[in-house]
């Protein structure tokens, strides 16, 4: 399986104009690859994930193409996308906690969902997959309100992967979990890939340290565009984009205390996506910015599989 | 000061079977003004349930909750002093209304006499405090905002109450990138200096220590270990605390398999919610209490 996204542009229509949440993003995900996607809150990660499976009514496909194994994925056409959903591309949404139907017990919901797709899944397999993420079969008897945030998140993850999609987009699936469950979920995802059940994955997270452990490649987005993409080890040890460097520098050592020194985030905030300034979008916050950065930097492959959009990289 | 004394919560599970789940079991600790207490624990260990009890969103099955010595009575007066920000930001917004309606509700309930212009300025100030651009987020519907943006709007709402004493913050930074997270935590730190007490519920061990004076580690509804943050993290005694610390993903370090909780270090401690005092301001429970009790 290969996913190719080429110059994808997706905007949100609002009364004040278009929000350019994805403004020309290109990348590929190879067969068996896990792509980690990170970036500041609001930079367009969820928009990218949703674009690959279901655009909501306010999203507009402005341009660019997506292909999966050579087939055009009709991202702008909700009806035509049905052929791809769940079987070929599946999404674990960011708000999985509120995605569960509150009036159904989990088990009944799973049965209904599978029936609506015209497939059946062996109960033993369902139990086994729940166990992989540390859940007992009794969650099937529970209503969503009776589960904790992290339990709901893990439940949705199991449901979304039941049909073994070729491409799984997992949006913040570990964000509400404690470290041991994060690990269980991360390993379960890698396990699905290793056993060939899910072919490739886009793993969206805000946690760079965690991604670096499970992703083969990490892609950093900034304000609707790609900033840098590289093999996980390279990105975390030899980043070239100033934003990636600052983001890595903001990662704390476990156990730091504010009394020992105040940590600081990256000064300033990302530009508005309603009318983003021309040129490099990181310009206002970039210590290296100069006149040239008033022009948009192209994405350049600076080393094999290492892509950077920065004039100074 | 908010004090919990052997607070317990039992849920009825299974409509017909009449079986119960004890989500929180005889938990005691306190949160003072000007203090941050971090509450850590495994998924399902009872952290949110504890927060919901403090906020009067679910009843208390046993033990007592007091604010400055008075039993907690949820109501307008109480909510002026104690507020919460929840784990699941999306469920806190009514999708039919614009997201900033949450601010208007605060004005109507608590600051009805503030002029519209002054209120607008205060809202914008609070929104900037959480590192959001008012022009980008105000006037939008919840579905038009990202997860981290919604989470920060809820924090901003809590900041609009004068006289807020205690903030229950349930996983409020879980959807924020490292840089934004630090900004939000620094904001909480500044508020603490102005006298706010915070119960900071988190699974983020790398930053759980950043602000907190004291730390409470919850496991299966019970306190496994609690005390001064430096002691709990510097000299973790309970095998579960060690397990948690070992499992934190770090850059460039192998993600190790933490050893399971098995050794019994403090036999019997915790049986009635009392913990063993290992050193001043550092308490720990028996690691195998449930089995020991079962015998
Ligand atoms: N329906 C919408 N209408 C208008 N703007 C929107 C809409 N949905 C999202 N946006 C805006 O698009 C941008 C990208 O949002 P997105 O949800 O993709 O961010 P994200 O990277 O997933 O952030 P987070 O890490 O906080 O989840 C944000 O600035 C957001 O405010
Ligand atoms: N309304 C309810 N009815 C029955 N059981 C419940 C209810 N709410 C919570 N529980 C159970 O209580 C336990 C503690 O849940 P809680 O939400 O407090 O956990 P948590 O520590 O916040 O976990 P997480 O980190 O995953 O959010 C869980 O086993 C959960 O299934
Ligand atoms: S292109 Fe210029 S402004 Fe943008 S990141 Fe590179 S140096 Fe900084
Ligand atoms: Mg998102
Ligand atoms: Mg919770």
């Amino acid at each position: 399986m290969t996913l190719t996204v080429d110059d994808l542009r997706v905007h949100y229509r609002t009364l004040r104009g278009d929000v350019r949440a994805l403004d020309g993003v290109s990348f590929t995900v190879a067969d068996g690859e896990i792509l980690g996607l990170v970036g500041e809150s609001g930079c367009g990660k969820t928009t990218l994930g949703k674009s690959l499976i279901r655009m909501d009514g306010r999203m507009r496909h402005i341009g660019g193409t997506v292909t999966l194994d050579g087939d055009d994925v009709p991202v702008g056409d909700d009806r035509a996308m049905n052929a791809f959903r769940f079987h070929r591309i599946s999404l674990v949404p960011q708000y999985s906690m509120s995605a569960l139907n509150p009036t159904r017990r989990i088990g009944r919901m799973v049965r209904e969902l599978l029936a609506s797709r015209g497939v059946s899944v062996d109960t033993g397999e369902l139990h086994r997959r729940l166990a992989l993420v540390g859940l007992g079969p009794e969650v099937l008897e529970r209503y969503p309100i009776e589960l904790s945030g992290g339990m709901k998140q893990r439940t949705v993850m199991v449901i979304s992967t039941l049909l073994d999609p070729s491409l799984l987009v997992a949006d913040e699936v570990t964000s509400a979990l404690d470290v041991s469950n994060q690990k269980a979920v991360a390993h379960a995802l890698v396990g699905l890939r290793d056993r060939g059940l899910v072919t490739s994955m886009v793993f969206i997270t805000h946690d760079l340290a965690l991604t670096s452990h499970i992703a083969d490649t990490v892609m950093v987005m900034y304000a609707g565009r790609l900033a840098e993409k590289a093999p996980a080890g390279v990105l975390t040890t030899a980043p070239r984009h100033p934003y990636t460097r600052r983001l890595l520098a903001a990662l704390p050592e476990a156990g730091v205390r504010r009394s020992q020194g105040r940590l600081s985030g990256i000064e300033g905030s990302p530009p508005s996506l309603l009318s983003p300034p021309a040129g490099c979008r990181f310009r206002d916050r970039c210590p290296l910015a100069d006149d040239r950065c008033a022009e948009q930097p192209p994405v350049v492959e600076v080393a094999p599989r290492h892509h950077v959009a920065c004039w100074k990289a | 000061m908010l004090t919990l004394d052997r607070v317990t919560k039992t849920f009825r599970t299974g409509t017909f079977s009449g079986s119960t789940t004890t989500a929180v079991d005889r938990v005691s600790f306190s949160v003072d003004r000007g203090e941050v207490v971090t509450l850590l624990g495994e998924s399902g260990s009872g952290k949110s349930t504890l927060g919901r009890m403090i906020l009067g969103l679910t009843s208390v099955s046993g033990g007592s909750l007091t604010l400055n010595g008075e039993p907690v009575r949820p109501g307008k007066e109480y909510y002026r002093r104690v507020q919460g920000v929840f784990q699941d930001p999306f469920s806190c917004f009514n999708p039919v209304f614009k997201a900033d309606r949450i601010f208007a509700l605060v004005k109507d309930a608590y600051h009805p006499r503030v002029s519209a212009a002054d209120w607008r300025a205060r809202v914008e100030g609070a929104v900037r405090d959480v590192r959001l651009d008012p022009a980008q987020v105000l006037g939008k519907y919840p579905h038009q905002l990202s997860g981290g943006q919604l989470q920060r709007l809820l924090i901003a709402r809590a900041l609009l109450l004068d006289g807020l004493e205690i903030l229950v913050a349930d996983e409020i930074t879980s959807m924020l990138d490292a840089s934004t997270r630090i900004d939000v935590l620094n904001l909480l730190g500044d508020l603490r200096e102005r006298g706010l007490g915070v119960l900071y519920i988190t699974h983020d061990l790398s930053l759980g220590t950043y602000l907190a004076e004291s730390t409470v580690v919850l496991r299966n509804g019970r306190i496994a270990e609690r005390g001064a943050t430096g002691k709990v993290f510097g000299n973790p005694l309970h095998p579960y605390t060690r397990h948690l610390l070992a499992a934190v993903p770090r850059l460039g370090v192998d993600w190790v398999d933490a050893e399971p909780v098995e050794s019994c270090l403090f036999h019997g401690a915790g049986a009635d919610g009392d913990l063993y005092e290992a050193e001043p301001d550092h308490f720990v429970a028996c690691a195998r209490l449930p089995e020991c009790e079962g015998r």
Side-chain angles (χ1 to χ4, degrees):
Chain A
M1 188 232 69
T2 321
L3 175 79
T4 307
V5 174
D6 186 32
D7 196 30
L8 188 61
R9 291 167 195 271
V10 174
H11 294 183
Y12 290 101
R13 192 181 278 160
T14 72
L15 288 177
R16 277 181 265 165
D18 274 13
V19 174
R20 302 180 189 193
L22 280 186
D23 212 8
V25 173
S26 306
F27 61 93
T28 56
V29 185
D31 194 66
E33 180 173 69
I34 297 183
L35 174 74
L37 176 57
V38 299
E40 195 151 339
S41 170
C43 73
K45 304 181 293 296
T46 297
T47 306
L48 177 58
K50 282 206 265 183
S51 299
L52 298 178
I53 178 151
R54 170 171 282 133
M55 295 213 188
D56 66 44
R58 288 165 202 83
M59 289 166 90
R60 276 206 302 159
H61 178 211
I62 301 294
T65 55
V66 178
T67 53
L68 187 66
D69 291 332
D71 297 338
D72 261 327
V73 182
V75 288
D77 183 343
D78 190 58
R79 179 124 14 119
M81 280 300 287
N82 271 330
F84 288 85
R85 289 185 191 124
F86 291 101
H87 293 281
R88 297 189 65 183
I89 307 180
S90 189
L91 171 77
V92 190
Q94 180 167 15
Y95 298 115
S96 24
M97 288 175 216
S98 25
L100 293 165
N101 182 341
T103 64
R104 293 274 191 280
R105 288 178 203 269
I106 306 289
R108 174 158 171 211
M109 210 185 65
V110 174
R111 282 195 302 278
E112 290 179 352
L113 180 80
L114 293 175
S116 77
R117 305 265 150 209
V119 283
S120 65
V121 167
D122 167 57
T123 314
E125 178 62 14
L126 179 58
H127 289 183
R128 218 166 48 75
R129 294 219 182 170
L130 287 169
L132 271 180
V133 295
L135 293 171
E138 69 279 0
V139 297
L140 296 173
E141 300 307 313
R142 298 264 196 115
Y143 286 98
I145 194 187
E146 299 177 335
L147 301 175
S148 77
M151 291 160 88
K152 281 186 267 194
Q153 208 174 35
R154 284 176 279 160
T155 306
V156 176
M157 196 212 95
V158 168
I159 298 172
S160 316
T161 51
L162 264 181
L163 297 185
D164 304 331
S166 318
L167 176 73
L168 178 71
V169 181
D171 194 352
E172 302 276 8
V173 281
T174 54
S175 64
L177 300 176
D178 60 286
V179 287
S180 42
N181 278 301
Q182 272 181 356
K183 203 161 152 183
V185 167
H187 284 171
L189 286 173
V190 175
L192 290 177
R193 190 265 317 256
D194 292 347
R195 283 158 50 212
L197 296 176
V198 170
T199 322
S200 311
M201 217 175 285
V202 177
F203 184 81
I204 303 176
T205 178
H206 59 269
D207 191 337
L208 252 173
L210 191 145
T211 338
S212 72
H213 288 286
I214 73 157
D216 304 303
T217 309
V218 178
M219 179 161 112
V220 181
M221 276 181 64
Y222 187 80
R225 289 202 183 133
L226 186 148
E228 184 163 11
K229 178 177 181 257
V234 174
L235 190 111
T236 50
T237 53
R240 301 277 283 266
H241 196 285
Y243 174 64
T244 316
R245 293 196 191 147
R246 304 300 295 261
L247 200 59
L248 282 164
L251 285 183
E253 283 290 318
V256 287
R257 305 292 300 275
R258 193 174 189 238
S259 46
Q260 295 163 347
R262 192 182 164 116
L263 297 168
S264 59
I266 305 171
E267 280 287 305
S269 47
S272 161
L273 297 174
L274 265 175
S275 49
C280 176
R281 295 201 171 158
F282 191 54
R283 191 149 53 111
D284 287 352
R285 305 166 86 181
C286 181
L288 303 179
D290 64 16
D291 292 347
R292 196 172 179 197
C293 307
E295 200 184 317
Q296 183 183 334
V299 179
V300 175
E301 186 161 14
V302 293
R305 297 178 56 223
H306 191 166
H307 304 261
V308 189
C310 169
W311 292 116
K312 302 287 179 68
Chain B
M1 178 152 78
L2 179 77
T3 309
L4 287 77
D5 185 20
R6 291 171 200 234
V7 170
T8 300
K9 177 70 192 182
T10 314
F11 286 110
R12 203 174 283 288
T13 40
T15 331
F16 306 111
S17 59
S19 58
T20 58
T21 311
T22 303
V24 175
D25 191 3
R26 289 162 293 180
V27 166
S28 309
F29 67 92
S30 62
V31 186
D32 210 345
R33 296 197 65 172
E35 178 189 44
V36 176
V37 175
T38 287
L39 180 60
L40 293 169
E42 199 158 29
S43 172
S45 61
K47 305 181 296 296
S48 297
T49 303
L50 203 57
R52 295 174 64 81
M53 283 193 283
I54 293 171
L55 293 166
L57 297 173
T58 189
S59 62
V60 178
S61 316
S64 72
L65 268 169
T66 52
L67 182 66
N68 306 325
E70 306 267 326
V72 162
R73 254 179 244 98
K76 193 169 163 184
E77 257 326 292
Y78 181 67
Y79 291 128
R80 186 193 290 281
R81 300 195 284 168
V82 181
Q83 278 281 327
V85 178
F86 299 98
Q87 186 168 11
D88 172 6
F90 210 61
S91 67
C92 302
F93 290 90
N94 185 334
V96 176
F97 297 106
K98 288 188 176 155
D100 41 24
R101 192 172 97 113
I102 59 168
F103 300 124
L105 295 177
V106 171
K107 178 174 180 342
D108 294 348
Y110 297 103
H111 301 289
R113 280 189 291 278
V114 178
S115 76
D118 285 353
W119 184 252
R120 175 103 195 152
R122 278 174 68 170
V123 167
E124 289 185 359
V127 167
R128 274 193 208 96
D129 279 344
V130 293
R131 289 283 176 274
L132 287 172
D133 173 3
Q136 269 194 63
V137 294
L138 297 180
K140 285 197 172 177
Y141 288 94
H143 66 259
Q144 297 181 313
L145 297 163
S146 77
Q149 287 166 338
L150 288 171
Q151 231 171 11
R152 283 178 282 164
L153 285 183
L154 290 173
I155 304 173
R157 173 186 65 174
L159 303 182
L160 284 169
L161 289 167
D162 306 328
L164 186 65
E165 293 177 26
I166 304 285
L167 179 69
V168 177
D170 192 354
E171 307 275 14
I172 58 169
T173 52
S174 64
M175 290 189 192
L176 302 179
D177 58 283
S179 160
T180 315
R181 195 161 11 146
I182 289 169
D183 290 334
V184 167
L185 284 176
N186 279 330
L187 171 72
L188 284 186
D190 295 342
L191 292 170
R192 168 184 66 184
E193 262 120 59
R194 299 194 332 230
L196 184 71
V198 182
L199 179 62
Y200 182 60
I201 302 176
T202 187
H203 61 265
D204 176 15
L205 284 127
S206 53
L207 278 176
T209 54
Y210 181 53
L211 290 177
E213 277 73 28
S214 58
T215 296
V216 177
V217 182
L218 213 58
R219 175 169 181 252
N220 296 336
R222 287 182 175 170
I223 294 184
E225 185 160 358
R226 78 174 163 83
T229 300
K231 291 177 179 170
V232 173
F233 278 79
N235 176 27
L237 295 171
H238 198 285
Y240 178 63
T241 316
R242 292 186 192 162
H243 168 94
L244 279 181
L245 288 174
V248 182
R250 294 180 175 85
L251 270 185
V253 179
D254 256 0
W255 206 1
V256 295
D257 273 311
E259 85 258 40
V261 180
E262 47 188 329
S263 55
C264 190
L265 296 177
F266 305 96
H267 182 78
D272 51 3
D274 293 332
L275 303 171
Y276 170 76
E277 184 166 11
E279 57 183 317
D281 204 9
H282 191 178
F283 302 85
V284 61
C286 166
R288 299 178 68 187
L289 194 62
E291 299 123 78
C292 296
E293 269 188 346
R295 255 176 234 150

